[in-house]
Amino acid sequence: MDEHFAKIRTQMSSKLPNQQMHATTLLAVEETLREGGAEITPTAYFATLMSLLDQQKSDPEAEDMRSAVLNLLAIVFPNIPVGVLRSQYTATLSVFTTILALQPPPTAPSMRSLVTCIEYLLIAQDAAAWTDTATLKALQTLLILSLDSRPKPRKRAQEAVRNIVTRPPLMMVVHPGMKVVVKTTLQILKESGSGVVSAAGSKDKDQATQMILHTLQLVRMVGKAWPVEEFLPLCDILLHLPKLNNPYLTSSAFQVFESLLSPKESPEAPAVIRQEETPEQTPTETMEQIVSRLDKITQVMSAVLELKPNVNDATLMPLWLDVVRAGFVESSRLQHIMKKAGHGTQIPQEAIIPLVQLFKVIFPNLDSSNPVSVHNATVDCLKQLISHCITDEMIDAAVHEMKINRGQPSKKKNIIETISTTIKGGFDIRFQSSWLGILDILKTFFERLNHAANPLLVSFLPIIDELRFTPAFTQKAHLDVVLSTAISTVGPRIFLDTLPLNIDNPEERKRGRAWLLPLLKSSVTNTELEYFSTTLIPLADRLNQKAQECRENGMMKKVYETLIGQIWSLVSGFCDLPVDMEMAFTKQLAERFSNVLYSVPDLRPVLCQALTGLVVRNQAILASSDSDEILERKYLITKEEAQRNIELLQQYSRPYLMVFFNIFQATLPQFRGYLLEVMRMFLSISTPTDLQETFSAVLVQLNTALTTVQSPVQQGDAPPASHNLMDLADIMVPYVDAQSMANLYNVVVSLFANDADAALQKKAYKIVNSMAETETGRVVLKSNLEELMRNILDTTAAASATAKRARLSLIGQVISLLEPTDLYFVPSILSEVVVATKEVNEKTRDVAYALLVAMGQKMKAGGVISAERVGDMEGGAVETPASISEYFTMVTAGLAGTTPHMVSAAITSLSRLLFEFHKDLDPAMVSEMIGTMHLFVNSSNREIVKSALGFIKVTTVSLDVGVVRPHLQEIVGGMIRWSHEHKGHFKVKVRHILERLVRRFGYDDVVAFVPEADKKLLINIKKRRERAKRNKKSGSAGMDMDDEEETEETDAKKSTKPLYMQTTFGSAYEDALYGSESDLSDDDEGQEEGEGKVQTKKSNKKKQGADAWIKEDGDTPLDFLDRTVVSRVTASHPSTQTARKVKDLSSAFKTSSDGKLVIDDSDSDAGEAEAEEADEEQMELDQAENNYLESLKSLDGFTRGQGGKIKFNKTNKRGVVGKDEDTEMMDAGGPGPIRSKGPKEQRPTKGLGQDFKAKKAGGDMKKKGRVDPYAYVPLTSLRKGAKEGLSLTNKSKQDKRTKPKPTRRS
């Protein structure tokens, strides 16, 4: 509501009268509420607007006012409490009824708003109100409007009826108003249907048809709420409509059927503010209603099957298929509910879905001769029938029957076999155009049968394989999708037994299927691990033997090695929840995996992924909420079996951890990701005894490695043993007991002072941090907290730069463990944290900022600071109470630092803390800090000034206006002296802060404190802001604003609030310090407005790079090797550089009947004469510009180079200027030789006057802005003669030689 009203308020200056009326009315209502001292709430809006509407309800000339009030009410109604709508129901409905009865009726916009108000008013009423006649009449009014001839009011009324009847009152299943809807719609359908049959003229018939279509549209929208007992009367009418032979009525009838039968949820009704109702109070359908609905659907579907349209009807057949799909899917859903509730015996025999008959009736639609739309609808229908109508009982019966018959076909086929036979027939040649759709159906069939696809669907595999090897079939990707589904359901054993790889013995001339290996990798899951160990591993060994034998044939060896890698890559799929893990994961297989991990480094990632999957998937089964019956049907495994699998893996956890540890130490750090994951998984399932023994062994080795002198490690070499063992200890920390963790703590805490090995020091801090993240570790650290704090304080000087972030994180953990009596640690460590805010590493700075805030929160919580325990605290009380003010006092002490770096860090820290805790500080203290910061703004050190400007910026955007205003003069005066400094972006920073100040305090308040010499900057800011607003208003704001200025209007509304209230995501402090940059483009700096003309540029943020074009001459290709090609690069589009068209002066004169110009010498029209004179002057300027450009580009033109040298334009054979010949001469008056470089080339003859030659006719033609086509011969051409390729006779020398000499008579 607030967003809508905010938008309406801005329409006061709109050019549309209706928008102005809306805005005026809203502002008047709000002004009335303010004058009365009432709180502006939805209820207050409702009362005022209804009072205004009541005054205007009968006035026929107040339509504009009524429309505005109704529009505002339509916005308010969704936010009014239910209690208010119920208490004011009668009076409100009376006003609305009076407006509906007006003549002429309300306009379409008013009607839509009125319907919305009535909709929410009726939704809010309880069951008692629906027994009132006035309520039912209001609903009937909406029903009448839902048949209106105007599309928009009709649609709004239909949506309102749907929303009302789908939201029944409390404790009611069927809405009481649904009886009115059913009675009205059935009556209209009957009368209109009779009218179509008995209509005498086409006009009456069209009107009756239109009425039926509108009514069917309404029925389709309320179909989900249609009562079960009224189902058959409606279906009788719908089944009668196709007999009228009107395709539109038939199509609409089928759409209504689909809406009635669809299992999809109905659209949600609009939200209504309910105070006493909860969703749990609405009852669900009873079993009797479900049985009744199932019975009605069964009867309807038997009738629908008899209405099957022509298979070639591309319009009705898809709709009929949608009805069949929706009806039988809903029937299957209802039957499933009844079976799950134990009422399966109540399902009538007629309700059993005739899948066999459906497939026989529907599947022939896939014939190649049928339309594509019929094919698509048929495929969708059959897929839905397979997914929802094939029950688990059908699948179990088919599997049981096949086991009894031992794979032999039975005399009487079951449903699954019949469907399979039907689908197999689809691969006949007459269905060729639908093979892709049939493959989709087969894929759905495999997915529905899941593991039962073996043995029910194995017979499809040879068919797909044969199609895969058919050259004419090009859609092999679709086949691969079906094969992948078959692999995951049938299982790799049966799949590869049916379609063997044949890569072991290629000489047997069998089809090789090595292309199946990538499909197996992505599809194998939840299958038999034994098949991999007994079949595929031996196959990989045989291929490895063949690869060893191929010493001379390197290509074959590479092929074998690739196949071996692809086979071993399948191990992750076979280890993905294997169904036979207890039998297959033997000691021999575990040892084989270990040997491969040691011997083949390339296979380590895939093997570690497989072992990780063994643990993760079994743990997921144990954590699943599904019953064992569901799990066994889905995955062929129960929770008990998953638990036994975990216990089996526990037996191998310690040996495998030793293997992983050894490989871990031999692997470079950047390649250890997969090892970390698998180690964590096996540590999580290890027994406490195994963990204790393993950790003790690692700790012993760590102590040994730390006491051993290690040689320096070169870059790229493996890390030393001590580093590897520290990493292993860090991994094991979350899983060990308290005693083991205490032993580890005693070992690593001594490494804090080891400044000789920065990496080892960093790992020590990381291990203690890992301890603090576990409950056991926090207990250990808390018991040693005093020692840990003293150790941290003593090792401050020894902390290396690489370990700084880990050290700060540990300090943060210690802060969280501090007791209120141990707060002496905060002032002791504060200086280190403050300096860390200036670290080069960004992540370290982020940790330092977070630690500053955490320390502030700890001090804010209260406690005692003992001065005796703070090493560098002098004087003062023995015990100081902790508070946020005391904390700020400690940080402020850093401003007295001896180095600019320390002072700058203290200012930066204060900026962060002030942003976080400014609401908790005394205003006097905040004011004192701002005053102190003025001293540092006037400092001569740039580092200090930069931090001080950041502090001012945070102050400007975060503190309230009343706190900052007293210091405005000092802020502006201190900053303005840095507005002339370009180094360190000081000028830009100052301008950004000034822009923020202008936005919060206004231009006049800020400019009053700016010296006269520096007011240009403020004037520039003001002009750019005004320009941006104008451009935004005219729709071109993007030319002069960046992304923040595009939301100028929104930001202006927020500018009066502190920034911490405006930020909605990310770090608010980062947004304040870095994100709130200039609202205007930096390109506009120094740009002034002309007289009535604004020159705009794109901002640097939007302009990713400078635009450039290359200018070409006609059809001549551009040679990029030419030395003059650089001169053809231009910064503006070539089309804008073309000569302007010269105005045709003949249009300024009158013409006679014979076409002659009539020139009037009179001075009667001085204005026209002046215009003509101006046009002539413009034409002369254009001609001069053209002549100048021609002098540069023509053959006889020249340009000036370096030193004032004149360079004549020359052409080569291809007519490119200045290609291979370069003639230079000194400027006139200067001595110097004329040199010719490069070989002379013969140039083609150019006829004089060719520029005037007509393209499609003989003779010459005039061109605008050019001289007339007469024999104007350039003197330069006469002087140079044929050397320049010009001839007065347009003939070459050869033509002159061959032509006979003229006689005297001629």
Side-chain angles (χ1 to χ4, degrees):
M1 183 181 74
D2 294 336
E3 295 179 0
H4 286 89
F5 283 173
K7 184 177 180 180
I8 293 175
R9 293 187 194 101
T10 61
Q11 296 174 350
M12 278 294 296
S13 59
S14 175
K15 296 180 180 179
L16 299 178
N18 60 333
Q19 292 184 353
Q20 287 185 354
M21 178 63 71
H22 286 53
T24 304
T25 305
L26 176 61
L27 294 177
V29 168
E30 292 177 342
E31 184 65 24
T32 302
L33 292 175
R34 292 192 189 96
E35 290 178 356
E39 183 181 359
I40 299 180
T41 61
T43 304
Y45 277 120
F46 168 71
T48 307
L49 289 172
M50 284 303 302
S51 176
L52 183 61
L53 185 63
D54 190 20
Q55 299 173 9
Q56 308 290 336
K57 63 180 180 180
S58 302
D59 188 358
E61 298 181 357
E63 176 60 28
D64 294 339
M65 175 64 72
R66 276 199 303 270
S67 178
V69 174
L70 286 172
N71 182 37
L72 297 177
L73 278 173
I75 299 173
V76 172
F77 256 87
N79 302 278
I80 303 175
V82 173
V84 176
L85 292 179
R86 290 180 179 176
S87 62
Q88 302 295 324
Y89 170 63
T90 304
T92 304
L93 187 60
S94 175
V95 174
F96 292 159
T97 304
T98 304
I99 296 175
L100 286 172
L102 288 176
Q103 291 296 332
T107 60
S110 299
M111 188 66 72
R112 293 201 304 271
S113 301
L114 185 59
V115 168
T116 302
C117 296
I118 297 175
E119 170 193 345
Y120 283 96
L121 184 64
L122 295 181
I123 289 176
Q125 304 311 310
D126 54 10
W130 282 99
T131 60
D132 189 3
T133 306
T135 305
L136 298 178
K137 286 184 178 180
L139 181 59
Q140 287 179 338
T141 303
L142 293 180
L143 290 174
I144 296 173
L145 291 175
S146 64
L147 305 178
D148 196 286
S149 59
R150 295 170 293 182
K152 291 184 178 180
R154 180 176 68 246
K155 182 179 179 181
R156 182 76 273 275
Q158 291 173 351
E159 291 174 349
V161 173
R162 178 199 63 195
N163 296 335
I164 291 171
V165 298
T166 54
R167 293 291 300 272
L170 187 64
M171 299 304 294
M172 297 186 70
V173 176
V174 179
H175 198 285
M178 197 63 202
K179 295 180 180 180
V180 178
V181 177
V182 171
K183 182 179 179 181
T184 305
T185 52
L186 291 180
Q187 182 179 357
I188 294 174
L189 287 175
K190 290 179 182 178
E191 294 177 355
S192 301
S194 301
V196 172
V197 176
S198 60
S202 59
K203 184 176 181 180
D204 297 336
K205 187 174 183 179
D206 291 342
Q207 290 179 353
T209 302
Q210 199 73 14
M211 185 65 67
I212 294 176
L213 291 175
H214 295 339
T215 308
L216 290 177
Q217 186 179 11
L218 173 62
V219 174
R220 185 175 58 182
M221 298 186 74
V222 301
K224 303 305 294 184
W226 199 269
V228 177
E229 58 272 10
E230 301 293 340
F231 203 80
L232 287 181
L234 175 61
C235 292
D236 291 339
I237 297 176
L238 295 178
L239 293 174
H240 177 73
L241 291 179
K243 300 177 183 179
L244 300 178
N245 296 326
N246 188 314
Y248 297 106
L249 294 180
T250 305
S251 173
S252 297
F254 283 146
Q255 291 175 359
V256 173
F257 268 125
E258 183 185 2
S259 173
L260 292 173
L261 303 174
S262 177
K264 298 178 182 179
E265 295 295 331
S266 61
E268 294 184 0
V272 178
I273 301 178
R274 295 191 179 271
Q275 299 171 338
E276 69 281 356
E277 300 179 13
T278 56
E280 290 76 7
Q281 294 174 314
T282 302
T284 58
E285 288 183 310
T286 63
M287 187 55 59
E288 290 77 11
Q289 291 173 327
I290 294 176
V291 173
S292 177
R293 179 173 172 79
L294 178 61
D295 183 51
K296 301 299 186 298
I297 290 177
T298 302
Q299 298 179 34
V300 171
M301 292 312 300
S302 61
V304 168
L305 291 177
E306 297 177 358
L307 295 176
K308 180 183 178 182
N310 192 334
V311 70
N312 292 320
D313 194 332
T315 302
L316 296 182
M317 178 54 77
L319 295 174
W320 181 83
L321 290 171
D322 290 341
V323 174
V324 171
R325 170 188 54 78
F328 285 113
V329 168
E330 177 68 1
S331 176
S332 177
R333 185 186 71 87
L334 295 175
Q335 293 181 40
H336 178 73
I337 293 175
M338 295 176 65
K339 291 177 182 178
K340 191 174 181 180
H343 297 274
T345 56
Q346 299 182 18
I347 298 176
Q349 187 67 25
E350 297 80 8
I352 298 176
I353 301 173
L355 274 179
V356 175
Q357 290 79 359
L358 286 175
F359 264 80
K360 289 182 179 180
V361 171
I362 297 175
F363 197 85
N365 294 347
L366 296 174
D367 192 287
S368 300
S369 60
N370 296 331
V372 177
S373 60
V374 175
H375 289 173
N376 297 335
T378 302
V379 170
D380 292 339
C381 180
L382 293 178
K383 287 169 63 177
Q384 292 291 328
L385 291 176
I386 289 173
S387 299
H388 296 90
C389 300
I390 294 181
T391 62
D392 296 338
E393 291 79 7
M394 296 178 186
I395 299 173
D396 295 339
V399 173
H400 180 69
E401 185 176 340
M402 181 164 286
K403 288 182 179 179
I404 294 176
N405 298 328
R406 298 181 179 180
Q408 299 298 325
S410 58
K411 296 181 181 180
K412 184 180 179 181
K413 294 184 178 181
N414 54 53
I415 297 176
I416 303 299
E417 288 180 347
T418 305
I419 295 176
S420 300
T421 304
T422 305
I423 296 176
K424 287 179 184 176
F427 291 100
D428 189 81
I429 191 65
R430 71 190 184 97
F431 295 100
Q432 185 174 4
S433 63
S434 303
W435 278 356
L436 295 182
I438 294 172
L439 289 175
D440 285 342
I441 295 173
L442 182 58
K443 175 178 176 291
T444 305
F445 204 18
F446 271 107
E447 291 173 345
R448 178 64 190 92
L449 268 58
N450 200 7
H451 294 289
N454 173 30
L456 297 178
L457 302 183
V458 177
S459 57
F460 280 99
L461 298 180
I463 299 175
I464 301 174
D465 180 67
E466 192 65 32
L467 196 59
R468 183 68 164 70
F469 282 97
T470 302
F473 189 79
T474 58
Q475 302 292 336
K476 292 182 171 54
H478 290 78
L479 286 174
D480 292 345
V481 172
V482 179
L483 288 173
S484 298
T485 307
I487 292 170
S488 60
T489 55
V490 173
R493 179 190 294 275
I494 301 300
F495 186 88
L496 293 179
D497 288 346
T498 308
L499 304 177
L501 294 173
N502 293 330
I503 59 177
D504 195 12
N505 298 310
E507 65 276 0
E508 295 181 4
R509 295 184 178 181
K510 296 181 180 180
R511 283 179 175 175
R513 297 185 180 88
W515 50 270
L516 284 175
L517 290 174
L519 294 180
L520 288 166
K521 180 182 178 181
S522 60
S523 307
V524 172
T525 179
N526 194 205
T527 185
E528 302 168 291
L529 180 59
E530 183 199 4
Y531 182 75
F532 182 79
S533 62
T534 58
T535 303
L536 294 181
I537 290 181
L539 174 61
D541 293 340
R542 292 195 299 272
L543 293 177
N544 187 35
Q545 184 65 29
K546 290 179 178 292
Q548 300 300 326
E549 296 174 357
C550 296
R551 298 179 179 178
E552 298 180 357
N553 192 346
M555 180 62 69
M556 285 303 300
K557 182 178 181 181
K558 188 65 176 177
V559 170
Y560 282 128
E561 291 175 351
T562 303
L563 292 174
I564 293 170
Q566 288 181 331
I567 292 173
W568 272 102
S569 67
L570 303 179
V571 66
S572 58
F574 280 94
C575 291
D576 186 13
L577 203 61
V579 297
D580 59 344
M581 183 173 171
E582 291 185 83
M583 296 184 298
F585 198 80
T586 60
K587 183 178 180 180
Q588 291 77 13
L589 182 61
E591 292 177 351
R592 182 60 189 272
F593 283 173
S594 300
N595 294 333
V596 174
L597 284 170
Y598 276 123
S599 59
V600 188
D602 292 341
L603 295 180
R604 288 173 184 171
V606 68
L607 271 175
C608 289
Q609 181 184 0
L611 294 172
T612 303
L614 284 176
V615 180
V616 172
R617 292 304 302 273
N618 282 284
Q619 288 179 339
I621 292 293
L622 289 175
S624 175
S625 59
D626 293 337
S627 63
D628 284 348
E629 181 182 359
I630 297 176
L631 292 174
E632 189 170 8
R633 180 171 289 278
K634 286 183 178 180
Y635 307 110
L636 301 177
I637 191 173
T638 62
K639 293 184 179 180
E640 184 180 353
E641 293 173 347
Q643 181 61 40
R644 291 201 297 266
N645 293 341
I646 294 293
E647 294 173 356
L648 176 63
L649 290 172
Q650 284 179 345
Q651 302 175 13
Y652 300 98
S653 63
R654 188 182 179 192
Y656 267 125
L657 285 173
M658 294 296 103
V659 174
F660 298 146
F661 289 171
N662 293 333
I663 296 174
F664 184 85
Q665 298 186 62
T667 307
L668 294 177
Q670 59 266 32
F671 304 113
R672 291 174 175 173
Y674 61 91
L675 288 170
L676 296 174
E677 186 65 24
V678 70
M679 284 190 291
R680 290 191 181 99
M681 287 298 102
F682 274 82
L683 286 170
S684 66
I685 64 171
S686 298
T687 62
T689 304
D690 289 342
L691 277 174
Q692 179 68 25
E693 295 175 357
T694 305
F695 187 75
S696 299
V698 171
L699 202 57
V700 170
Q701 295 183 27
L702 178 60
N703 284 321
T704 304
L706 291 175
T707 57
T708 304
V709 179
Q710 299 174 354
S711 58
V713 179
Q714 300 295 329
Q715 187 176 5
D717 295 343
S722 59
H723 292 192
N724 294 328
L725 292 169
M726 290 283 285
D727 291 335
L728 291 176
D730 189 16
I731 295 171
M732 299 184 70
V733 162
Y735 308 100
V736 298
D737 56 8
Q739 184 59 42
S740 300
M741 201 171 292
N743 296 335
L744 177 61
Y745 169 79
N746 294 328
V747 173
V748 300
V749 76
S750 61
L751 299 176
F752 290 175
N754 185 5
D755 54 353
D757 193 340
L760 197 63
Q761 186 187 71
K762 179 181 178 180
K763 294 179 186 298
Y765 282 117
K766 289 180 64 178
I767 288 176
V768 183
N769 273 316
S770 299
M771 291 181 183
E773 293 173 357
T774 64
E775 290 298 329
T776 306
R778 292 180 73 85
V779 172
V780 173
L781 293 181
K782 205 160 189 178
S783 61
N784 298 275
L785 188 59
E786 190 68 29
E787 178 191 353
L788 179 60
M789 289 190 294
R790 183 54 53 192
N791 205 320
I792 291 175
L793 294 175
D794 293 342
T795 57
T796 302
S800 60
T802 56
K804 183 66 69 175
R805 179 155 59 100
R807 176 180 169 88
L808 291 174
S809 299
L810 177 58
I811 295 174
Q813 297 289 356
V814 172
I815 293 295
S816 64
L817 295 173
L818 287 180
E819 295 291 341
T821 57
D822 295 332
L823 294 183
Y824 76 92
F825 182 73
V826 173
S828 301
I829 203 68
L830 181 59
S831 60
E832 179 181 354
V833 180
V834 169
V835 174
T837 59
K838 300 288 289 184
E839 285 288 333
V840 177
N841 186 277
E842 181 182 0
K843 293 182 179 180
T844 304
R845 295 199 304 270
D846 293 341
V847 174
Y849 283 130
L851 181 54
L852 276 174
V853 175
M855 294 165 70
Q857 297 288 359
K858 198 69 171 179
M859 292 286 291
K860 179 182 174 182
V864 176
I865 303 174
S866 177
E868 297 177 349
R869 305 176 70 180
V870 180
D872 55 351
M873 182 176 288
E874 298 179 359
V878 177
E879 290 187 351
T880 305
S883 64
I884 191 64
S885 301
E886 182 66 22
Y887 182 57
F888 268 82
T889 304
M890 297 176 186
V891 180
T892 308
L895 299 177
T898 58
T899 62
H901 187 78
M902 181 62 194
V903 176
S904 175
I907 296 174
T908 305
S909 302
L910 283 173
S911 303
R912 179 67 183 93
L913 293 174
L914 180 64
F915 180 84
E916 189 73 26
F917 300 106
H918 63 273
K919 296 177 66 176
D920 303 316
L921 293 176
D922 184 28
M925 187 174 188
V926 176
S927 179
E928 183 180 354
M929 278 193 292
I930 298 175
T932 304
M933 213 52 59
H934 300 327
L935 301 177
F936 296 103
V937 172
N938 296 319
S939 173
S940 59
N941 187 277
R942 297 179 185 276
E943 185 178 8
I944 296 176
V945 174
K946 186 175 182 181
S947 299
L949 290 177
F951 181 91
I952 292 177
K953 188 171 185 180
V954 172
T955 302
T956 302
V957 300
S958 61
L959 297 183
D960 292 333
V961 175
V963 178
V964 183
R965 187 177 295 277
H967 302 274
L968 189 59
Q969 182 176 1
E970 290 82 1
I971 291 175
V972 175
M975 286 191 307
I976 204 68
R977 64 183 293 263
W978 293 100
S979 63
H980 307 288
E981 184 64 50
H982 293 274
K983 292 183 179 180
H985 306 285
F986 279 99
K987 181 176 181 180
V988 176
K989 291 179 184 295
V990 171
R991 194 183 71 192
H992 293 170
I993 298 174
L994 288 174
E995 288 176 2
R996 284 289 179 176
L997 291 173
V998 169
R999 291 180 61 181
R1000 297 203 70 186
F1001 298 97
Y1003 174 79
D1004 296 334
D1005 291 351
V1006 177
V1007 77
F1009 303 119
V1010 178
E1012 192 67 30
D1014 297 309
K1015 285 187 178 180
K1016 287 185 177 180
L1017 180 59
L1018 267 295
I1019 295 174
N1020 177 258
I1021 291 174
K1022 180 182 179 182
K1023 287 185 176 180
R1024 287 163 53 233
R1025 285 177 55 82
E1026 292 174 351
R1027 183 188 311 123
K1029 291 180 180 179
R1030 288 196 302 269
N1031 290 340
K1032 183 179 178 120
K1033 188 175 181 180
S1034 62
S1036 59
M1039 295 294 293
D1040 199 43
M1041 297 183 297
D1042 60 5
D1043 290 345
E1044 187 177 355
E1045 186 60 29
E1046 290 176 1
T1047 58
E1048 171 72 20
E1049 184 176 341
T1050 305
D1051 289 346
K1053 299 172 186 175
K1054 297 179 180 179
S1055 60
T1056 57
K1057 300 180 181 180
L1059 189 75
Y1060 70 91
M1061 297 178 61
Q1062 303 174 21
T1063 306
T1064 57
F1065 61 92
S1067 173
Y1069 177 69
E1070 294 288 336
D1071 294 340
L1073 189 58
Y1074 305 113
S1076 56
E1077 296 300 336
S1078 175
D1079 300 327
L1080 306 170
S1081 169
D1082 293 343
D1083 291 350
D1084 293 334
E1085 182 179 355
Q1087 185 182 28
E1088 300 293 339
E1089 292 185 0
E1091 295 179 2
K1093 180 178 178 180
V1094 179
Q1095 182 181 1
T1096 60
K1097 297 182 180 179
K1098 291 184 178 179
S1099 65
N1100 288 332
K1101 186 173 182 179
K1102 293 192 174 182
K1103 188 174 182 180
Q1104 300 297 331
D1107 295 331
W1109 286 267
I1110 297 178
K1111 189 174 182 179
E1112 300 182 12
D1113 288 337
D1115 298 332
T1116 305
L1118 186 63
D1119 188 357
F1120 285 96
L1121 298 179
D1122 187 3
R1123 289 174 295 176
T1124 63
V1125 72
V1126 180
S1127 63
R1128 298 183 179 275
V1129 178
T1130 175
S1132 57
H1133 198 281
S1135 62
T1136 63
Q1137 296 179 346
T1138 57
R1140 288 172 291 182
K1141 294 183 179 180
V1142 181
K1143 184 178 179 181
D1144 188 4
L1145 296 180
S1146 62
S1147 61
F1149 303 102
K1150 301 178 181 179
T1151 56
S1152 62
S1153 58
D1154 57 354
K1156 295 181 180 179
L1157 295 176
V1158 179
I1159 302 176
D1160 188 3
D1161 294 336
S1162 64
D1163 298 334
S1164 59
D1165 194 350
E1168 291 184 4
E1170 293 178 359
E1172 291 173 5
E1173 183 179 357
D1175 289 339
E1176 290 178 359
E1177 294 178 358
Q1178 183 64 40
M1179 184 184 68
E1180 293 176 359
L1181 292 175
D1182 292 339
Q1183 184 63 36
E1185 180 181 353
N1186 294 338
N1187 294 338
Y1188 173 72
L1189 294 175
E1190 185 66 23
S1191 69
L1192 296 179
K1193 300 177 182 178
S1194 65
L1195 302 179
D1196 304 302
F1198 64 90
T1199 56
R1200 291 184 181 271
Q1202 295 182 355
K1205 294 182 179 180
I1206 295 177
K1207 185 176 181 181
F1208 287 105
N1209 298 332
K1210 294 293 182 179
T1211 59
N1212 56 14
K1213 294 181 179 180
R1214 294 174 291 179
V1216 181
V1217 176
K1219 171 61 181 173
D1220 294 321
E1221 190 171 354
D1222 190 9
T1223 304
E1224 295 183 357
M1225 63 181 295
M1226 297 300 291
D1227 196 359
I1234 299 176
R1235 301 186 301 274
S1236 177
K1237 298 181 181 180
K1240 296 182 179 180
E1241 298 180 359
Q1242 185 177 357
R1243 307 187 184 281
T1245 303
K1246 180 178 180 181
L1248 188 65
Q1250 284 186 355
D1251 293 340
F1252 300 97
K1253 184 175 178 60
K1255 294 182 179 179
K1256 298 182 180 180
D1260 298 332
M1261 59 181 292
K1262 287 187 177 183
K1263 294 186 177 181
K1264 293 182 180 180
R1266 302 287 299 275
V1267 297
D1268 291 339
Y1270 297 130
Y1272 296 114
V1273 182
L1275 295 178
T1276 53
S1277 300
L1278 291 175
R1279 179 179 59 81
K1280 296 181 180 178
K1283 291 184 180 181
E1284 287 297 323
L1286 293 174
S1287 174
L1288 297 178
T1289 59
N1290 291 340
K1291 294 181 180 180
S1292 62
K1293 291 183 179 180
Q1294 185 67 23
D1295 295 338
K1296 294 178 180 179
R1297 293 192 188 99
T1298 56
K1299 183 177 179 180
K1301 294 182 179 180
T1303 60
R1304 184 180 297 274
R1305 180 177 300 178
S1306 63

